[in-house]
Each structure stands twice: as structure tokens, then as C-alpha cells.
Amino acid sequence: MPSQTPPLAEAFRLFDAANSADPNLEPNETGELVPKEVLYAQRMSACLARVAPDAPEAVQLAARCQHIRRWSIPRQDFPMTRPGYHQWRNTLKKYHAELAGQLLAQAGYAPELITRVQELVQKLRLKDDPEVQLLEDVICLVFLEYYFLPFAAQHPEEKVLEIVQKTWPKMTARGHALALQLPFSPEARALVEKALA
């Protein structure tokens, strides 16, 4: 992990404290049940540190608060349609950005950096901003490594293949190379290869 400045360590503490109220628990790598969004945030930080150890502080912060208190706005509160899904996602992005901004101010960050983190969290200018693109690569890598197989178990194969096909174009060439090096199970690797064939 890169060394943390005092405000970065404090922001991570505040983000993790906010996420620790998540009522949804998931087993971590040692089998211990932990709040789902704490685990997700820590996986995001670990992945970013692995693929971009010199990532700017704003990207480190955005990775850690990407899903902050995500459970507060449930999917079922929106129409179960494609427009409803996009409405939910856009509402979440704004919510994550606003909450992150409040916690970053508590941690002592200047308004300019807070605004930058909020831009990253909302993935503004995805294809034109290398830092947003780096964050997107990390989001996709974390999904593929930890959440793809559980997702695949709950959905028909056609939908699973479609998700991989939609995820792939969001990533850079380096992101693709890193994704293909992930420790997939044979089942997961077969699905990815089928989707990309």
C-alpha cells in the first residue's frame, strides 16, 4: 500500500466508519463476515494499490468511497426497467459524491480536491480523463475478481455474457491485460472467454 498522508488516513477512517453501518454482511478472504461496503471499499483500495501504486490522492480517495453507503438507496425504490436502472445509478452517483464531499471536508481537504474526488466518483468525462479511466479499470477488475462468479450464479448465461461484453469496452487495453491475468476459476474463465469470443 502507498504511504498515507494524515488527511488520507482520516478520510479512509471516515469512509469505513460510514460503510460499517451496512446491514448486509459478506465473508472476507478469511471467512469472517464483514459489512459488504467496507469489504468492497477495501478491495477497491487494494486493487488500485496493486495496479497503480503511484495513483494520485484524489483517485485513492475516489476508489475508497466509490460505493459509500450504497445500501441507503435500494434498487427496488426505482422502476424495474432499464430507464429505472439508469435513474437509480445516477441518483447513487450524486449521493456518493455529496456524502464523500462532506466526509472529505471533515478530514480537512481543500474544496478543489473535494470537487476533483466528486468528479471521479461520478465518472465524468470517462473516456477523456485518464484518472476517471483508471478508476473505471479498477472498478471492473474488482467486479471480475470478486463479484463476477456470484453474479453469474444468479443469472442466466445470456445475461452474464452480456455483462462481460458491456464491461469490456469500459476498460483500457492495460485493464484488459490485467483482467486476463486474474485468478479466475475455470468456470469464470470459460464464461469470460465465451463472452469475448
Side-chain angles (χ1 to χ4, degrees):
M1 282 284 190
S3 62
Q4 293 183 3
T5 63
L8 184 70
E10 176 61 8
F12 277 19
R13 188 190 71 75
L14 290 168
F15 293 159
D16 290 352
N19 277 331
S20 68
D22 190 349
N24 307 294
L25 302 179
E26 278 191 359
N28 64 12
E29 282 61 44
T30 63
E32 178 192 1
L33 286 176
V34 294
K36 180 180 177 181
E37 294 307 344
V38 170
L39 185 59
Y40 177 80
Q42 291 171 350
R43 285 170 168 170
M44 285 288 293
S45 289
C47 181
L48 179 64
R50 207 165 57 235
V51 305
D54 300 323
E57 196 155 325
V59 181
Q60 294 180 52
L61 290 161
R64 191 64 160 226
C65 67
Q66 182 64 29
H67 276 185
I68 193 160
R69 291 189 61 86
R70 190 179 181 88
W71 70 92
S72 303
I73 300 178
R75 170 69 184 94
Q76 59 265 28
D77 287 1
F78 295 79
M80 299 307 281
T81 59
R82 190 173 289 271
Y85 173 77
H86 290 298
Q87 187 188 355
W88 172 64
R89 289 292 300 269
N90 289 331
T91 303
L92 273 174
K93 282 182 193 174
K94 286 182 185 144
Y95 172 69
H96 295 324
E98 284 169 17
L99 182 53
Q102 293 164 18
L103 297 176
L104 288 167
Q106 273 185 54
Y109 278 104
E112 302 76 40
L113 188 127
I114 293 173
T115 299
R116 180 61 180 146
V117 173
Q118 291 175 319
E119 289 172 354
L120 290 163
V121 167
Q122 294 179 87
K123 293 192 267 189
L124 304 179
R125 301 186 304 280
L126 175 56
K127 289 296 178 186
D128 303 318
D129 185 328
E131 292 180 0
V132 178
Q133 188 60 64
L134 170 59
L135 183 65
E136 184 65 28
D137 274 358
V138 171
I139 290 165
C140 294
L141 289 167
V142 167
F143 168 72
L144 288 167
E145 183 169 2
Y146 296 104
Y147 302 98
F148 174 57
L149 208 49
F151 175 88
Q154 295 173 354
H155 295 90
E157 184 178 279
E158 185 182 325
K159 183 168 177 75
V160 174
L161 300 180
E162 182 190 346
I163 289 292
V164 176
Q165 289 160 356
K166 282 182 176 172
T167 299
W168 212 249
K170 295 178 183 175
M171 302 172 77
T172 61
R174 180 167 181 259
H176 293 157
L178 290 165
L180 293 172
Q181 293 166 22
L182 289 171
F184 287 125
S185 67
E187 183 188 357
R189 184 167 294 281
L191 282 167
V192 170
E193 287 174 354
K194 186 172 183 179
L196 299 179

